[in-house]
């Protein structure tokens, strides 16, 4: 499957809110697959696994701003649509829909602001990276930034795209 070049969004740190974000761009692959529902979920799981990003869950997106300081994250939307925020409480809003993939560098804040009732995604992470949920704490900002900086770059893009060149 040929993969088009993703949207690449740079999101600055928000020290006042405690969100490290990242010097690496968020990648958004629009309409990567043309399917919905369980077939799309299975397609994303197979695609992520084939590119060495083991899928771990099927769920929605938390409705509060959070980030993962110990893992990069790939999200494949397999049902519905959502308006999300990237970058923490002062971040930017984006629309995502079934077929889209987001690749979030460690530290990037994200939240679901509004979504269709059927909205769901597959989540995947590079091998050996374990995610946790952090909500942003200005008092712990420096420590979160150190954890984010220590997360290894993945060897491959979760969909076979241009992450290796965009994240180096």
């Amino acid at each position: 499957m040929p993969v088009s070049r993703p949207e690449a969004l740079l999101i600055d740190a928000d020290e006042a809110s405690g969100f490290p974000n990242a010097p690496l761009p968020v990648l958004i692959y629009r309409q990567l697959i043309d399917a919905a529902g369980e077939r799309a979920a299975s397609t994303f799981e197979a695609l992520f696994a084939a590119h060495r990003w083991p899928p771990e869950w099927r769920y929605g997106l938390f409705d509060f701003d959070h980030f993962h300081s110990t893992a990069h994250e790939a999200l494949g939307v397999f049902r519905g649509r959502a308006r999300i925020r990237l970058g923490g409480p002062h971040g930017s809003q984006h629309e995502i829909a079934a077929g889209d993939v987001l690749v979030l560098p460690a530290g990037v804040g994200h939240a679901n602001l509004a979504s269709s009732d059927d909205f769901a995604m597959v989540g995947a992470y590079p091998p050996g990276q374990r995610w946790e949920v952090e909500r942003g704490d200005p008092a712990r900002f420096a420590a979160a930034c150190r954890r984010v900086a220590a997360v290894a770059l993945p060897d491959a893009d979760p969909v076979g795209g241009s992450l290796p060149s965009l994240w180096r």
Side-chain angles (χ1 to χ4, degrees), residues 69-70 72 106 129 144-153:
S69 68
T70 57
H72 305 298
Q129 295 187 8
C145 288
R146 285 191 297 275
R147 286 190 302 280
V148 167
V151 176
L153 291 176

Side-chain angles (χ1 to χ4, degrees), residues 131-158:
W131 58 277
E132 78 318 306
V133 175
E134 296 186 49
R135 290 183 170 225
D137 180 348
R140 296 181 175 166
F141 178 76
C145 288
R146 285 191 297 275
R147 286 190 302 280
V148 167
V151 176
L153 291 176
D155 293 331
D157 185 296

Side-chain angles (χ1 to χ4, degrees), residues 86-145:
L86 297 173
H90 302 112
S92 56
Q93 295 185 23
H94 304 270
E95 299 288 330
I96 57 174
D100 292 349
V101 172
L102 287 88
V103 184
L104 305 176
V108 171
H110 48 294
N112 181 349
L113 301 178
S115 61
S116 60
D117 290 340
D118 63 342
F119 177 70
M121 303 181 300
V122 168
Y125 306 86
Q129 295 187 8
R130 300 290 170 247
W131 58 277
E132 78 318 306
V133 175
E134 296 186 49
R135 290 183 170 225
D137 180 348
R140 296 181 175 166
F141 178 76
C145 288

